[in-house]
Amino acid sequence: MDNRRPLIAGNWKMFKTCSEAVETAEHLVKLVSACADVDIMIAPPFTALAQVSEVVKGTCISLGAQNLFWETEGAYTGEISPAMLVSSGCRYVIIGHSERRQYFGETDESVNRKIRSAVSSGLVPVVCVGESEKQRELKETFSVLDKQVKKGLDNFSPGDLNTLVMAYEPIWAIGTGKTASAEQAQEVHEYLRAMIEKKFGNSLAKSMRILYGGSVKPDNIAELMSMADVDGALVGGASLDPLTFSKIVQF
Ligand code: PGA
């Protein structure tokens, strides 16, 4: 299988009750049933995973979670283990989203532990990296990414990472309506792929899917996807409406 089949992923963040999530998923299934050449993932809140899993079972849509904790089980009030996600029907898990780094103390070290636990449970990690507006202005984009990738992927072998999906999400583009230009996205994606090559070799670098995230909409997806190193999108706001998301899927 070509690992770089496009992946369009929807991160629903803290939106939708169970009934709203089921309704959205049912609508989406009808809209994208014919999408044979794109992988599709939706990540509803934890509370709706099991029900949405029933809706997407046997369709071309896979289920993802927005976070996990690395321990198998134990006295960790409020946390969710990899096995719990697997048993709720998840195939993917988003790790290190900038909102988790910003509001919930997620670090490159916790990202690293989460990736390891996801991989050992057979979940596909979607690992988010990206710089803030200030860091971009200060021309620190590449050094910020260097650190996030180096620490986040520390101590892994290429074989550990062969399902891993990277998501470049410039923080200044998330939820702001300010998308990175296709050229800006390509420049960073190319840089990230080169970094993976240097650290893990050519074969992983060539097969790793790198998604772009940050204000992706039906009217900018095609241009982003036309870039050589953009292999898909991680979509927040525009994934909440099934019709809008289906237009992105059908870029
Ligand atoms: P956005 O969010 O599409 O609403 O900008 C993207 C994300 O946070 O993954």
PDB file of all heavy atoms in Angstrom, residues 12 19-31 55-56 242:
ATOM      1  N   TRP A  12     -12.729  17.386  15.835  1.00  0.00           N
ATOM      2  CA  TRP A  12     -13.950  18.061  16.288  1.00  0.00           C
ATOM      3  C   TRP A  12     -13.751  18.844  17.583  1.00  0.00           C
ATOM      4  O   TRP A  12     -14.656  19.512  18.058  1.00  0.00           O
ATOM      5  CB  TRP A  12     -15.095  17.042  16.452  1.00  0.00           C
ATOM      6  CG  TRP A  12     -15.584  16.463  15.154  1.00  0.00           C
ATOM      7  CD1 TRP A  12     -15.077  16.694  13.897  1.00  0.00           C
ATOM      8  CD2 TRP A  12     -16.684  15.558  14.972  1.00  0.00           C
ATOM      9  NE1 TRP A  12     -15.797  15.985  12.960  1.00  0.00           N
ATOM     10  CE2 TRP A  12     -16.780  15.274  13.590  1.00  0.00           C
ATOM     11  CE3 TRP A  12     -17.584  14.939  15.844  1.00  0.00           C
ATOM     12  CZ2 TRP A  12     -17.751  14.416  13.067  1.00  0.00           C
ATOM     13  CZ3 TRP A  12     -18.550  14.094  15.324  1.00  0.00           C
ATOM     14  CH2 TRP A  12     -18.641  13.832  13.950  1.00  0.00           C
ATOM     15  N   SER A  19     -25.550  12.842  20.639  1.00  0.00           N
ATOM     16  CA  SER A  19     -26.547  12.804  19.567  1.00  0.00           C
ATOM     17  C   SER A  19     -26.119  13.689  18.392  1.00  0.00           C
ATOM     18  O   SER A  19     -26.307  13.322  17.226  1.00  0.00           O
ATOM     19  CB  SER A  19     -27.937  13.182  20.077  1.00  0.00           C
ATOM     20  OG  SER A  19     -27.899  14.469  20.641  1.00  0.00           O
ATOM     21  N   GLU A  20     -25.521  14.819  18.688  1.00  0.00           N
ATOM     22  CA  GLU A  20     -25.039  15.687  17.598  1.00  0.00           C
ATOM     23  C   GLU A  20     -23.920  15.001  16.807  1.00  0.00           C
ATOM     24  O   GLU A  20     -23.847  15.096  15.577  1.00  0.00           O
ATOM     25  CB  GLU A  20     -24.508  17.011  18.168  1.00  0.00           C
ATOM     26  CG  GLU A  20     -25.590  17.927  18.711  1.00  0.00           C
ATOM     27  CD  GLU A  20     -25.036  19.053  19.611  1.00  0.00           C
ATOM     28  OE1 GLU A  20     -23.839  19.015  19.987  1.00  0.00           O
ATOM     29  OE2 GLU A  20     -25.821  19.949  19.947  1.00  0.00           O
ATOM     30  N   ALA A  21     -23.052  14.303  17.529  1.00  0.00           N
ATOM     31  CA  ALA A  21     -21.929  13.630  16.865  1.00  0.00           C
ATOM     32  C   ALA A  21     -22.438  12.518  15.955  1.00  0.00           C
ATOM     33  O   ALA A  21     -21.975  12.369  14.817  1.00  0.00           O
ATOM     34  CB  ALA A  21     -20.969  13.074  17.914  1.00  0.00           C
ATOM     35  N   VAL A  22     -23.399  11.751  16.444  1.00  0.00           N
ATOM     36  CA  VAL A  22     -23.962  10.654  15.646  1.00  0.00           C
ATOM     37  C   VAL A  22     -24.624  11.215  14.385  1.00  0.00           C
ATOM     38  O   VAL A  22     -24.425  10.721  13.278  1.00  0.00           O
ATOM     39  CB  VAL A  22     -24.972   9.827  16.492  1.00  0.00           C
ATOM     40  CG1 VAL A  22     -25.838   8.940  15.613  1.00  0.00           C
ATOM     41  CG2 VAL A  22     -24.210   9.005  17.526  1.00  0.00           C
ATOM     42  N   GLU A  23     -25.377  12.289  14.580  1.00  0.00           N
ATOM     43  CA  GLU A  23     -26.076  12.904  13.437  1.00  0.00           C
ATOM     44  C   GLU A  23     -25.069  13.400  12.387  1.00  0.00           C
ATOM     45  O   GLU A  23     -25.229  13.180  11.185  1.00  0.00           O
ATOM     46  CB  GLU A  23     -26.901  14.077  13.975  1.00  0.00           C
ATOM     47  CG  GLU A  23     -28.012  14.530  13.060  1.00  0.00           C
ATOM     48  CD  GLU A  23     -28.699  15.760  13.638  1.00  0.00           C
ATOM     49  OE1 GLU A  23     -29.056  15.749  14.841  1.00  0.00           O
ATOM     50  OE2 GLU A  23     -28.825  16.746  12.891  1.00  0.00           O
ATOM     51  N   THR A  24     -24.018  14.053  12.855  1.00  0.00           N
ATOM     52  CA  THR A  24     -22.992  14.567  11.946  1.00  0.00           C
ATOM     53  C   THR A  24     -22.327  13.413  11.189  1.00  0.00           C
ATOM     54  O   THR A  24     -22.140  13.468   9.970  1.00  0.00           O
ATOM     55  CB  THR A  24     -21.906  15.336  12.723  1.00  0.00           C
ATOM     56  OG1 THR A  24     -22.535  16.351  13.496  1.00  0.00           O
ATOM     57  CG2 THR A  24     -20.886  15.969  11.790  1.00  0.00           C
ATOM     58  N   ALA A  25     -21.979  12.360  11.927  1.00  0.00           N
ATOM     59  CA  ALA A  25     -21.294  11.228  11.311  1.00  0.00           C
ATOM     60  C   ALA A  25     -22.205  10.545  10.280  1.00  0.00           C
ATOM     61  O   ALA A  25     -21.755  10.163   9.194  1.00  0.00           O
ATOM     62  CB  ALA A  25     -20.844  10.248  12.384  1.00  0.00           C
ATOM     63  N   GLU A  26     -23.489  10.404  10.627  1.00  0.00           N
ATOM     64  CA  GLU A  26     -24.420   9.758   9.682  1.00  0.00           C
ATOM     65  C   GLU A  26     -24.526  10.555   8.382  1.00  0.00           C
ATOM     66  O   GLU A  26     -24.528  10.010   7.284  1.00  0.00           O
ATOM     67  CB  GLU A  26     -25.812   9.633  10.325  1.00  0.00           C
ATOM     68  CG  GLU A  26     -25.871   8.510  11.342  1.00  0.00           C
ATOM     69  CD  GLU A  26     -27.182   8.467  12.138  1.00  0.00           C
ATOM     70  OE1 GLU A  26     -27.952   9.460  12.095  1.00  0.00           O
ATOM     71  OE2 GLU A  26     -27.406   7.461  12.823  1.00  0.00           O
ATOM     72  N   HIS A  27     -24.582  11.859   8.543  1.00  0.00           N
ATOM     73  CA  HIS A  27     -24.674  12.729   7.379  1.00  0.00           C
ATOM     74  C   HIS A  27     -23.395  12.614   6.527  1.00  0.00           C
ATOM     75  O   HIS A  27     -23.450  12.484   5.306  1.00  0.00           O
ATOM     76  CB  HIS A  27     -24.906  14.162   7.864  1.00  0.00           C
ATOM     77  CG  HIS A  27     -25.299  15.121   6.784  1.00  0.00           C
ATOM     78  ND1 HIS A  27     -25.631  16.430   7.035  1.00  0.00           N
ATOM     79  CD2 HIS A  27     -25.387  14.983   5.443  1.00  0.00           C
ATOM     80  CE1 HIS A  27     -25.905  17.039   5.887  1.00  0.00           C
ATOM     81  NE2 HIS A  27     -25.766  16.192   4.903  1.00  0.00           N
ATOM     82  N   LEU A  28     -22.262  12.610   7.211  1.00  0.00           N
ATOM     83  CA  LEU A  28     -20.977  12.542   6.511  1.00  0.00           C
ATOM     84  C   LEU A  28     -20.832  11.224   5.742  1.00  0.00           C
ATOM     85  O   LEU A  28     -20.358  11.213   4.597  1.00  0.00           O
ATOM     86  CB  LEU A  28     -19.841  12.704   7.528  1.00  0.00           C
ATOM     87  CG  LEU A  28     -18.441  12.811   6.945  1.00  0.00           C
ATOM     88  CD1 LEU A  28     -18.301  14.080   6.090  1.00  0.00           C
ATOM     89  CD2 LEU A  28     -17.397  12.829   8.058  1.00  0.00           C
ATOM     90  N   VAL A  29     -21.251  10.137   6.364  1.00  0.00           N
ATOM     91  CA  VAL A  29     -21.166   8.826   5.705  1.00  0.00           C
ATOM     92  C   VAL A  29     -21.889   8.884   4.353  1.00  0.00           C
ATOM     93  O   VAL A  29     -21.377   8.415   3.334  1.00  0.00           O
ATOM     94  CB  VAL A  29     -21.770   7.714   6.603  1.00  0.00           C
ATOM     95  CG1 VAL A  29     -22.019   6.441   5.811  1.00  0.00           C
ATOM     96  CG2 VAL A  29     -20.856   7.439   7.787  1.00  0.00           C
ATOM     97  N   LYS A  30     -23.074   9.494   4.348  1.00  0.00           N
ATOM     98  CA  LYS A  30     -23.842   9.586   3.088  1.00  0.00           C
ATOM     99  C   LYS A  30     -23.104  10.430   2.057  1.00  0.00           C
ATOM    100  O   LYS A  30     -23.099  10.133   0.869  1.00  0.00           O
ATOM    101  CB  LYS A  30     -25.213  10.231   3.352  1.00  0.00           C
ATOM    102  CG  LYS A  30     -26.122   9.337   4.148  1.00  0.00           C
ATOM    103  CD  LYS A  30     -27.567   9.836   4.084  1.00  0.00           C
ATOM    104  CE  LYS A  30     -28.407   9.075   5.108  1.00  0.00           C
ATOM    105  NZ  LYS A  30     -28.943   9.949   6.162  1.00  0.00           N
ATOM    106  N   LEU A  31     -22.434  11.493   2.524  1.00  0.00           N
ATOM    107  CA  LEU A  31     -21.800  12.431   1.586  1.00  0.00           C
ATOM    108  C   LEU A  31     -20.489  11.913   0.995  1.00  0.00           C
ATOM    109  O   LEU A  31     -20.121  12.291  -0.117  1.00  0.00           O
ATOM    110  CB  LEU A  31     -21.516  13.759   2.301  1.00  0.00           C
ATOM    111  CG  LEU A  31     -22.744  14.599   2.658  1.00  0.00           C
ATOM    112  CD1 LEU A  31     -22.355  15.707   3.626  1.00  0.00           C
ATOM    113  CD2 LEU A  31     -23.356  15.196   1.395  1.00  0.00           C
ATOM    114  N   VAL A  55     -21.540   4.082  13.767  1.00  0.00           N
ATOM    115  CA  VAL A  55     -22.014   4.746  12.541  1.00  0.00           C
ATOM    116  C   VAL A  55     -21.023   4.564  11.386  1.00  0.00           C
ATOM    117  O   VAL A  55     -21.417   4.357  10.243  1.00  0.00           O
ATOM    118  CB  VAL A  55     -22.237   6.264  12.794  1.00  0.00           C
ATOM    119  CG1 VAL A  55     -22.663   6.978  11.514  1.00  0.00           C
ATOM    120  CG2 VAL A  55     -23.242   6.486  13.907  1.00  0.00           C
ATOM    121  N   VAL A  56     -19.723   4.638  11.692  1.00  0.00           N
ATOM    122  CA  VAL A  56     -18.737   4.612  10.591  1.00  0.00           C
ATOM    123  C   VAL A  56     -18.234   3.192  10.279  1.00  0.00           C
ATOM    124  O   VAL A  56     -17.500   3.000   9.310  1.00  0.00           O
ATOM    125  CB  VAL A  56     -17.526   5.554  10.852  1.00  0.00           C
ATOM    126  CG1 VAL A  56     -17.994   6.999  10.996  1.00  0.00           C
ATOM    127  CG2 VAL A  56     -16.719   5.137  12.067  1.00  0.00           C
ATOM    128  N   PRO A 242     -20.817  18.610   8.129  1.00  0.00           N
ATOM    129  CA  PRO A 242     -20.533  17.489   7.221  1.00  0.00           C
ATOM    130  C   PRO A 242     -20.411  17.911   5.757  1.00  0.00           C
ATOM    131  O   PRO A 242     -19.538  17.406   5.043  1.00  0.00           O
ATOM    132  CB  PRO A 242     -21.716  16.538   7.414  1.00  0.00           C
ATOM    133  CG  PRO A 242     -22.570  17.098   8.466  1.00  0.00           C
ATOM    134  CD  PRO A 242     -22.021  18.403   8.932  1.00  0.00           C
TER     135      PRO A 242
END
